Amino acid sequence: MGCRIFFLAKPLLNPNFPNPRSFSTSFLITKTPKKHKPKRPKPDSPRTRSVTPDSNKIPHFESLLTRDANFRFLTKTKEFLSKQPEQILRLDDAGKLYRELGFPRGRKVTKSISRHPLLFSTYRHSDNKIWLGFTDLMDQLLLEERSIMEVVEEDRVMRVRKLLMMSKNKRIPLSKIYHKRLIFGIPEDFRDRIRKYPDYFRLVVEDDGKQVLELVNWDPSLAVSALEREFLVNEDKVKKAFKFPVKYGKDLGLEENDVKKLNLLNTLPLVSPYSDGWKLDLWSLEAEKYRVGIIHEFLSLTLEKRALIHHIVEFKEEFSLTRQTYEMLKKQPRTFYLAGTEINWAVFLKDGYDDNGNLIDKDPLVVFNEKLYKFAQMQEEEEEISGFREKL
């Protein structure tokens, strides 16, 4: 009976019709496309957590950090290629240098190159290898940049002298200045240029081979901070720029003038960054005023009146800074603005910018960089570039 049932059931299958199991269902949308999926919130960590609450953020300062990230490949590749023989690099080698060239690890370098077609180009050499190099436009821009460096050389010498005058022992390792040279607008070849100024600098080679730049002569005219100059122009503004936690009883019966004097101690950092403030008791109020003054003057010497924290920490020993720099700056929101994340944050000097977030005093190199960024965003030549070529 069972065999008969099997025999009767078998003809129900049409031998000319394909097996349903052989059908492909790849055309069916069984999953929600990624673009329609709700984005997962980033995990809360120092790498993603902002140093400033959203309610207190200043957009134009935050946008400058975003701009830096967007042009990271441009900035680092420009620096790296400029130091290469013939200013070219094999594309195979470039793909391995993600740190040096500033593109994301695991990504193809060609994707970053294609974002700036007017500045970078690839070509096949006679060795049948593909190479990365600058475009003709970029070569012209680099010539302009070199001419600017010649014009501003005396200004850069002054900035290095002031850094040395602020330092604890009036000496700074040459490597530290070199690694952070871009924020001060110091040229790549400044190590050769300083030999032209024996009255200002002395290059010392220590036993371990480390090169240290020392100050030769102290110049009293340079030992005046930007804050002290501002104080002479607008005393009230400077007094309101800082606030230090000095507690005193309100029932002291002080006269009005005495109260003003006490409040002055509570606001203006009277300890000059060009003094021997490093000798003060490390945790005293005066020592904190000294360190705040050091960072204020440090930022005033940068081209864009801002710096990443690792730029400042690099000089921790020379400027007698402590690990509490972050907490110290957070207490001075009238003067400093902190942007970025807890693991990689930057500090801005508010007075260096207007209400629209524009630098009040633009160095010629800042103007050049803004033009470079503009060209970097273009995908094809425009009338402005043609005019630039004619001008050159």
Side-chain angles (χ1 to χ4, degrees):
M1 186 68 179
C3 294
R4 186 178 179 183
I5 293 174
F6 175 77
F7 177 79
L8 292 174
K10 195 171 183 180
L12 295 177
L13 296 175
N14 186 344
N16 297 320
F17 196 82
N19 191 332
R21 294 181 181 179
S22 67
F23 280 106
S24 172
T25 59
S26 60
F27 65 95
L28 297 176
I29 300 177
T30 57
K31 294 183 179 180
T32 305
K34 287 185 177 180
K35 63 180 180 180
H36 296 310
K37 287 184 177 180
K39 293 184 178 180
R40 295 181 180 179
K42 294 182 179 179
D44 187 32
S45 69
R47 188 175 296 277
T48 60
R49 193 181 306 128
S50 297
V51 291
T52 299
D54 291 343
S55 58
N56 296 332
K57 283 186 176 180
I58 301 179
H60 54 251
F61 288 145
E62 299 287 344
S63 66
L64 285 175
L65 293 188
T66 303
R67 186 198 70 178
D68 291 347
N70 291 338
F71 292 121
R72 177 179 171 82
F73 175 78
L74 167 64
T75 303
K76 294 183 75 68
T77 301
K78 168 178 164 288
E79 286 296 311
F80 190 86
L81 271 183
S82 297
K83 293 182 286 187
Q84 301 305 306
E86 306 298 327
Q87 296 184 336
I88 56 176
L89 182 67
R90 278 179 51 180
L91 192 63
D92 289 343
D93 296 331
K96 304 172 186 176
L97 302 174
Y98 62 93
R99 287 194 184 93
E100 292 81 355
L101 301 184
F103 64 92
R105 183 178 183 179
R107 303 284 181 87
K108 290 185 177 181
V109 67
T110 50
K111 185 174 183 179
S112 295
I113 295 172
S114 64
R115 290 170 54 199
H116 313 298
L118 300 187
L119 304 180
F120 301 113
S121 65
T122 57
Y123 65 95
R124 190 174 296 277
H125 198 263
S126 57
D127 61 1
N128 207 33
K129 298 290 184 180
I130 299 179
W131 292 71
L132 166 66
F134 294 133
T135 62
D136 291 341
L137 173 63
M138 187 62 157
D139 286 334
Q140 293 172 344
L141 288 167
L142 292 176
L143 287 175
E144 182 187 5
E145 184 181 37
R146 292 191 194 102
S147 66
I148 292 174
M149 287 300 186
E150 297 297 330
V151 173
V152 301
E153 181 171 313
E154 290 187 8
D155 173 83
R156 302 316 192 244
V157 168
M158 178 271 295
R159 291 172 194 257
V160 175
R161 291 174 70 192
K162 288 175 77 72
L163 286 172
L164 289 171
M165 290 171 66
M166 282 197 299
S167 64
K168 181 178 178 180
N169 297 315
K170 311 303 176 275
R171 62 200 311 263
I172 299 176
L174 197 63
S175 60
K176 291 189 177 184
I177 300 177
Y178 177 78
H179 291 152
K180 307 307 173 190
R181 69 188 185 281
L182 294 182
I183 65 172
F184 301 108
I186 298 172
E188 161 72 26
D189 61 347
F190 92 99
R191 288 176 290 192
D192 299 323
R193 295 181 185 235
I194 58 177
R195 294 186 173 90
K196 296 162 52 178
Y197 302 93
D199 293 337
Y200 299 153
F201 308 117
R202 180 188 301 114
L203 191 58
V204 178
V205 180
E206 299 188 334
D207 295 338
D208 59 359
K210 180 191 297 183
Q211 293 183 319
V212 179
L213 192 63
E214 293 184 348
L215 184 71
V216 173
N217 290 316
W218 179 272
D219 188 345
S221 66
L222 294 181
V224 181
S225 68
L227 195 62
E228 291 168 322
R229 290 195 301 271
E230 180 68 19
F231 184 77
L232 297 175
V233 177
N234 193 337
E235 182 177 341
D236 290 336
K237 178 183 176 182
V238 175
K239 286 179 180 179
K240 296 175 182 178
F242 300 92
K243 187 174 182 180
F244 294 90
V246 177
K247 296 181 181 180
Y248 58 91
K250 295 183 179 180
D251 55 348
L252 295 178
L254 298 177
E255 295 182 359
E256 184 177 355
N257 289 337
D258 293 331
V259 171
K260 287 184 178 179
K261 290 180 180 179
L262 193 55
N263 285 334
L264 183 60
L265 294 175
N266 217 13
T267 55
L268 180 64
L270 299 175
V271 182
S272 170
Y274 297 102
S275 67
D276 290 335
W278 56 272
K279 295 180 180 179
L280 297 168
D281 178 19
L282 185 62
W283 305 112
S284 67
L285 175 62
E286 294 301 299
E288 183 175 347
K289 289 182 177 182
Y290 169 71
R291 290 191 292 271
V292 167
I294 282 280
I295 293 180
H296 187 284
E297 185 71 354
F298 181 94
L299 294 175
S300 73
L301 292 175
T302 63
L303 291 184
E304 298 190 31
K305 306 301 179 282
R306 63 186 177 103
L308 291 172
I309 181 56
H310 66 79
H311 291 151
I312 299 174
V313 172
E314 183 80 15
F315 298 93
K316 176 182 175 182
E317 181 180 349
E318 287 75 22
F319 296 150
S320 303
L321 301 176
T322 68
R323 293 183 178 180
Q324 281 70 42
T325 299
Y326 172 71
E327 288 78 9
M328 180 181 71
L329 294 178
K330 279 189 70 175
K331 293 187 294 185
Q332 308 298 341
R334 300 173 183 175
T335 298
F336 304 118
Y337 177 78
L338 308 185
T341 62
E342 292 180 1
I343 203 170
N344 187 31
W345 53 277
V347 55
F348 288 76
L349 199 58
K350 283 185 173 181
D351 285 347
Y353 296 79
D354 62 21
D355 294 338
N356 296 320
N358 299 312
L359 272 172
I360 296 174
D361 184 18
K362 286 190 178 182
D363 184 270
L365 196 58
V366 172
V367 177
F368 168 81
N369 285 333
E370 289 179 348
K371 179 168 62 177
L372 179 66
Y373 296 153
K374 190 173 183 178
F375 289 162
Q377 296 177 80
M378 296 180 182
Q379 295 298 308
E380 56 185 21
E381 286 207 14
E382 299 178 7
E383 183 178 350
E384 183 176 350
I385 296 181
S386 300
F388 170 72
R389 291 183 186 276
E390 292 177 3
K391 183 178 178 182
L392 287 178

